[in-house]
Amino acid sequence: MVRRVAASDSGFTVTISARGAARLKGGHVWVYRSDIVAAEGVPPGAVVAVRDERGQVLGSALYSSSSQIAIRSISHEAVTDFAALLRQRIRDAIAYRERIVRDSNAYRVIFSEGDFLPGLIVDRYDDILSMQILTQAMDAEPVREAVISELTERLQPAAMVERVDARVRQLEELAPRESGLVSGVKGATIFTMNGVRFHFDALEGQKTGAFLDQRENYAAAAQYAHGEALDVFCYQGGFALHVAARCSRVSGVDSSRPALEVADRNAALNGREIEWIEANAFDLLKDYASSGQRYDTIVLDPPAFAKSKRDLDAAMRGYKELNLRALKMLRPAGILVSCSCSYHVSQADFLEMLADAVRDAHRVLRLVEVRGQAKDHPILLNVPETAYLKCVIASVS
Ligand code: SAH
């Protein structure tokens, strides 16, 4: 086995402002470029010692020469062997999943900052691992080698694939790279969550895998779903397939034909009859609401409308429009499952939007469950950015 010390335990130092130091002392792990006082000669992706302006050492971090997030803290101590630290953190992340994941062979094995491995995401789908690398430091060749070899030793996957986000690589000023296999040959499998089966194809189609963060919300929604159900923004059918066991009729709506094609194969795999509708959800809800269509269960799981703080007002209008229409279309005692995966929309904002929509729709809403992301996407309380998913389940009369 090749085992090299990764990405220079470099002897380089980054000096940060008092504001940056206060952030780290407050438990956050990011320091922005505007709080960097000096980073002379530090190479992209280096492991650095972090100091404040008085020279006090605050720990070790991963440096990016291009990101607005200039350093991501990895330890309060000096790190002398980054590869060994990586391997330990990977083992810890795997052990954590062994304790908290139930009824699924698909889950997030490594959630970046949430597992103190900033810039690294690894998902497991049955015996295939899917890896995403988001920062210069994690992209360094010795780091990749340490990550791949530790995951291979511990989980013994049939294959590992890398999913490349071209935009992220550009922002990090990394050379372009193709998505594809990094080990093994298997590119497709079937995984199971909560007893529901799904196709996973790492090498074809949208290469996005599933929305693993909704895994526990699928099971929760399925407990209350009934009657005729509409899954809006259904993608490959995650909610639709879960509620199908409880509902007399299920329809799923998405604007992506490739997603619906996989959804249809997933339905067949589970012996379910589900109607898939290719449409713009806003137009469809408007038409259905005005033509008097009614449902007993409606799921809304739109893409992130607020990608930055600037988009927040428009995003809130989008959420409100969708929720208002859904509320109007629900029969008495109907179930609304309403989600938002925008980090910039707080849980309080989201509930306030829903309260507004309920008032405008002249309905009564009882909160059944206010949920977040699945436990394999751990939230660090001191790093608010690690909490992003909201999922409200409500009874509407
Ligand atoms: N509920 C899904 C995840 C939804 S992700 C699951 O649990 O797996 C968001 C989805 O919204 C994507 O599949 C995307 O294709 C779809 N989408 C984005 N904009 C849309 C629009 N205007 N109308 C319909 N679908 C849209």
Side-chain angles (χ1 to χ4, degrees), residues 206 210-211 214 218 231-239 253-256 259 279-282 299 301-303 305:
Q206 303 196 115
F211 289 87
Q214 291 282 25
Y218 294 149
D231 177 5
V232 187
F233 305 96
C234 66
Y235 185 59
Q236 298 176 351
F239 279 103
V253 183
D254 204 282
S255 58
S256 160
N280 179 318
F282 285 90
V299 178
D301 184 19
F305 290 151

Short mmCIF file of all heavy atoms in Angstrom, two decimals, residues 206 210-211 214 218 231-239 253-256 259 279-282 299 301-303 305, ligand 1:
data_model
loop_
_atom_site.label_atom_id
_atom_site.label_comp_id
_atom_site.label_asym_id
_atom_site.label_seq_id
_atom_site.Cartn_x
_atom_site.Cartn_y
_atom_site.Cartn_z
N GLN A 206 -27.89 11.44 -15.27
CA GLN A 206 -27.58 12.72 -14.63
C GLN A 206 -26.44 12.60 -13.62
O GLN A 206 -25.98 13.60 -13.09
CB GLN A 206 -28.82 13.24 -13.90
CG GLN A 206 -30.00 13.40 -14.82
CD GLN A 206 -31.08 14.26 -14.21
OE1 GLN A 206 -31.38 15.32 -14.69
NE2 GLN A 206 -31.69 13.80 -13.15
N ALA A 210 -28.98 9.89 -5.57
CA ALA A 210 -30.27 10.20 -4.96
C ALA A 210 -30.13 11.34 -3.97
O ALA A 210 -29.02 11.76 -3.65
CB ALA A 210 -30.79 8.96 -4.26
N PHE A 211 -31.26 11.83 -3.50
CA PHE A 211 -31.23 12.85 -2.46
C PHE A 211 -31.25 12.13 -1.11
O PHE A 211 -32.30 11.95 -0.49
CB PHE A 211 -32.38 13.83 -2.64
CG PHE A 211 -32.15 14.71 -3.83
CD1 PHE A 211 -32.55 14.32 -5.09
CD2 PHE A 211 -31.45 15.90 -3.70
CE1 PHE A 211 -32.28 15.11 -6.20
CE2 PHE A 211 -31.18 16.70 -4.80
CZ PHE A 211 -31.60 16.31 -6.06
N GLN A 214 -32.96 13.23 2.24
CA GLN A 214 -34.41 13.11 2.48
C GLN A 214 -34.79 11.71 2.98
O GLN A 214 -35.98 11.43 3.20
CB GLN A 214 -35.18 13.37 1.17
CG GLN A 214 -35.14 14.80 0.67
CD GLN A 214 -36.08 15.72 1.43
OE1 GLN A 214 -36.42 15.46 2.59
NE2 GLN A 214 -36.50 16.79 0.80
N TYR A 218 -38.61 10.68 3.90
CA TYR A 218 -39.47 9.78 3.10
C TYR A 218 -40.27 8.87 4.03
O TYR A 218 -41.48 8.70 3.88
CB TYR A 218 -38.63 8.86 2.20
CG TYR A 218 -37.84 9.51 1.10
CD1 TYR A 218 -36.63 8.95 0.69
CD2 TYR A 218 -38.28 10.64 0.44
CE1 TYR A 218 -35.88 9.50 -0.34
CE2 TYR A 218 -37.53 11.20 -0.59
CZ TYR A 218 -36.33 10.63 -0.97
OH TYR A 218 -35.59 11.18 -1.99
N ASP A 231 -46.70 14.24 -5.89
CA ASP A 231 -45.31 14.52 -5.49
C ASP A 231 -44.74 15.53 -6.49
O ASP A 231 -44.47 15.19 -7.65
CB ASP A 231 -44.51 13.19 -5.51
CG ASP A 231 -43.03 13.37 -5.17
OD1 ASP A 231 -42.63 14.50 -4.84
OD2 ASP A 231 -42.29 12.37 -5.25
N VAL A 232 -44.58 16.77 -6.02
CA VAL A 232 -44.15 17.84 -6.93
C VAL A 232 -42.65 18.06 -6.78
O VAL A 232 -42.15 18.19 -5.66
CB VAL A 232 -44.91 19.15 -6.61
CG1 VAL A 232 -44.61 20.22 -7.66
CG2 VAL A 232 -46.41 18.90 -6.52
N PHE A 233 -41.95 18.10 -7.90
CA PHE A 233 -40.49 18.07 -7.96
C PHE A 233 -40.02 16.68 -7.51
O PHE A 233 -39.26 16.52 -6.57
CB PHE A 233 -39.84 19.16 -7.09
CG PHE A 233 -40.31 20.56 -7.38
CD1 PHE A 233 -41.32 21.14 -6.63
CD2 PHE A 233 -39.73 21.30 -8.41
CE1 PHE A 233 -41.76 22.43 -6.89
CE2 PHE A 233 -40.15 22.60 -8.67
CZ PHE A 233 -41.17 23.16 -7.91
N CYS A 234 -40.51 15.68 -8.21
CA CYS A 234 -40.34 14.29 -7.73
C CYS A 234 -39.00 13.67 -8.06
O CYS A 234 -38.64 12.64 -7.50
CB CYS A 234 -41.47 13.42 -8.27
SG CYS A 234 -41.41 13.23 -10.07
N TYR A 235 -38.24 14.26 -9.02
CA TYR A 235 -36.95 13.70 -9.44
C TYR A 235 -37.13 12.21 -9.77
O TYR A 235 -37.97 11.88 -10.59
CB TYR A 235 -35.90 13.97 -8.35
CG TYR A 235 -34.50 13.54 -8.71
CD1 TYR A 235 -33.84 14.06 -9.82
CD2 TYR A 235 -33.83 12.61 -7.93
CE1 TYR A 235 -32.55 13.65 -10.15
CE2 TYR A 235 -32.53 12.21 -8.25
CZ TYR A 235 -31.92 12.72 -9.35
OH TYR A 235 -30.66 12.32 -9.67
N GLN A 236 -36.38 11.33 -9.15
CA GLN A 236 -36.48 9.91 -9.53
C GLN A 236 -37.51 9.16 -8.69
O GLN A 236 -37.51 7.94 -8.63
CB GLN A 236 -35.10 9.25 -9.44
CG GLN A 236 -34.12 9.90 -10.43
CD GLN A 236 -32.70 9.37 -10.35
OE1 GLN A 236 -32.37 8.62 -9.45
NE2 GLN A 236 -31.86 9.77 -11.29
N GLY A 237 -38.37 9.94 -7.99
CA GLY A 237 -39.52 9.33 -7.34
C GLY A 237 -39.38 9.01 -5.87
O GLY A 237 -40.15 8.22 -5.32
N GLY A 238 -38.42 9.63 -5.19
CA GLY A 238 -38.16 9.32 -3.77
C GLY A 238 -39.41 9.35 -2.89
O GLY A 238 -39.76 8.34 -2.26
N PHE A 239 -40.11 10.47 -2.86
CA PHE A 239 -41.32 10.55 -2.03
C PHE A 239 -42.45 9.71 -2.63
O PHE A 239 -43.14 8.98 -1.91
CB PHE A 239 -41.78 12.00 -1.86
CG PHE A 239 -41.03 12.78 -0.82
CD1 PHE A 239 -40.05 13.69 -1.17
CD2 PHE A 239 -41.30 12.59 0.53
CE1 PHE A 239 -39.35 14.41 -0.22
CE2 PHE A 239 -40.62 13.31 1.51
CZ PHE A 239 -39.63 14.22 1.13
N VAL A 253 -44.47 14.83 -10.44
CA VAL A 253 -44.26 15.90 -11.43
C VAL A 253 -42.81 16.34 -11.40
O VAL A 253 -42.26 16.60 -10.32
CB VAL A 253 -45.11 17.14 -11.08
CG1 VAL A 253 -44.94 18.23 -12.15
CG2 VAL A 253 -46.56 16.78 -10.89
N ASP A 254 -42.20 16.46 -12.56
CA ASP A 254 -40.85 17.02 -12.63
C ASP A 254 -40.65 17.56 -14.04
O ASP A 254 -41.30 17.12 -14.99
CB ASP A 254 -39.79 15.95 -12.32
CG ASP A 254 -38.48 16.56 -11.82
OD1 ASP A 254 -37.70 17.07 -12.66
OD2 ASP A 254 -38.24 16.53 -10.59
N SER A 255 -39.74 18.53 -14.17
CA SER A 255 -39.48 19.09 -15.50
C SER A 255 -38.40 18.29 -16.24
O SER A 255 -38.14 18.55 -17.41
CB SER A 255 -39.06 20.56 -15.39
OG SER A 255 -37.92 20.65 -14.57
N SER A 256 -37.76 17.36 -15.56
CA SER A 256 -36.66 16.62 -16.17
C SER A 256 -37.11 15.25 -16.67
O SER A 256 -37.47 14.37 -15.88
CB SER A 256 -35.52 16.44 -15.15
OG SER A 256 -34.68 15.38 -15.54
N ALA A 259 -34.94 12.30 -15.41
CA ALA A 259 -35.26 11.94 -14.02
C ALA A 259 -36.52 11.09 -13.98
O ALA A 259 -36.60 10.08 -13.27
CB ALA A 259 -35.44 13.20 -13.16
N ALA A 279 -43.55 18.37 -16.52
CA ALA A 279 -44.14 19.72 -16.58
C ALA A 279 -43.37 20.67 -15.70
O ALA A 279 -42.63 20.26 -14.80
CB ALA A 279 -45.59 19.67 -16.09
N ASN A 280 -43.56 21.97 -15.97
CA ASN A 280 -43.08 22.99 -15.05
C ASN A 280 -44.05 23.01 -13.87
O ASN A 280 -45.26 23.21 -14.04
CB ASN A 280 -43.08 24.34 -15.77
CG ASN A 280 -42.62 25.46 -14.85
OD1 ASN A 280 -42.99 25.52 -13.68
ND2 ASN A 280 -41.81 26.34 -15.38
N ALA A 281 -43.53 22.80 -12.69
CA ALA A 281 -44.39 22.64 -11.50
C ALA A 281 -45.25 23.88 -11.23
O ALA A 281 -46.40 23.77 -10.82
CB ALA A 281 -43.53 22.34 -10.28
N PHE A 282 -44.69 25.05 -11.49
CA PHE A 282 -45.46 26.28 -11.22
C PHE A 282 -46.69 26.34 -12.14
O PHE A 282 -47.80 26.62 -11.69
CB PHE A 282 -44.57 27.51 -11.44
CG PHE A 282 -43.59 27.73 -10.32
CD1 PHE A 282 -42.33 27.14 -10.37
CD2 PHE A 282 -43.93 28.49 -9.22
CE1 PHE A 282 -41.42 27.33 -9.34
CE2 PHE A 282 -43.04 28.69 -8.18
CZ PHE A 282 -41.77 28.10 -8.25
N VAL A 299 -46.69 16.66 -1.79
CA VAL A 299 -45.29 16.86 -1.41
C VAL A 299 -44.72 17.96 -2.30
O VAL A 299 -44.90 17.94 -3.52
CB VAL A 299 -44.47 15.57 -1.65
CG1 VAL A 299 -42.99 15.79 -1.29
CG2 VAL A 299 -45.04 14.39 -0.87
N ASP A 301 -41.01 19.57 -2.99
CA ASP A 301 -39.57 19.48 -2.70
C ASP A 301 -38.76 20.16 -3.82
O ASP A 301 -38.03 19.51 -4.56
CB ASP A 301 -39.15 18.01 -2.53
CG ASP A 301 -37.69 17.87 -2.13
OD1 ASP A 301 -37.09 18.85 -1.64
OD2 ASP A 301 -37.14 16.75 -2.30
N PRO A 302 -38.91 21.48 -3.91
CA PRO A 302 -38.27 22.19 -5.04
C PRO A 302 -36.75 22.26 -4.89
O PRO A 302 -36.22 22.03 -3.81
CB PRO A 302 -38.87 23.60 -4.94
CG PRO A 302 -39.27 23.76 -3.52
CD PRO A 302 -39.65 22.40 -3.02
N PRO A 303 -36.06 22.59 -5.98
CA PRO A 303 -34.61 22.82 -5.88
C PRO A 303 -34.36 24.07 -5.04
O PRO A 303 -35.29 24.81 -4.76
CB PRO A 303 -34.20 23.05 -7.34
CG PRO A 303 -35.44 23.48 -8.05
CD PRO A 303 -36.58 22.83 -7.34
N PHE A 305 -34.09 27.51 -4.19
CA PHE A 305 -34.40 28.75 -4.89
C PHE A 305 -33.42 29.86 -4.51
O PHE A 305 -33.13 30.75 -5.29
CB PHE A 305 -35.82 29.23 -4.56
CG PHE A 305 -36.91 28.38 -5.16
CD1 PHE A 305 -38.14 28.27 -4.52
CD2 PHE A 305 -36.71 27.69 -6.35
CE1 PHE A 305 -39.15 27.50 -5.06
CE2 PHE A 305 -37.72 26.91 -6.90
CZ PHE A 305 -38.94 26.82 -6.25
N1 SAH B 1 -38.02 15.15 -4.29
C1 SAH B 1 -36.84 14.66 -4.98
C2 SAH B 1 -35.74 15.70 -5.10
C3 SAH B 1 -36.13 16.94 -5.83
S1 SAH B 1 -34.77 17.84 -6.43
C4 SAH B 1 -36.31 13.43 -4.25
O1 SAH B 1 -36.66 13.23 -3.09
O2 SAH B 1 -35.54 12.68 -4.82
C5 SAH B 1 -35.55 19.07 -7.38
C6 SAH B 1 -36.17 18.59 -8.67
O3 SAH B 1 -36.89 19.68 -9.21
C7 SAH B 1 -35.22 18.12 -9.76
O4 SAH B 1 -35.55 16.82 -10.13
C8 SAH B 1 -35.49 19.10 -10.93
O5 SAH B 1 -35.49 18.43 -12.19
C9 SAH B 1 -36.87 19.59 -10.62
N2 SAH B 1 -37.25 20.92 -11.11
C10 SAH B 1 -36.53 22.06 -11.09
N3 SAH B 1 -37.27 23.10 -11.54
C11 SAH B 1 -38.50 22.61 -11.84
C12 SAH B 1 -39.70 23.18 -12.32
N4 SAH B 1 -39.82 24.48 -12.56
N5 SAH B 1 -40.77 22.37 -12.50
C13 SAH B 1 -40.69 21.05 -12.25
N6 SAH B 1 -39.57 20.46 -11.78
C14 SAH B 1 -38.49 21.21 -11.58
#
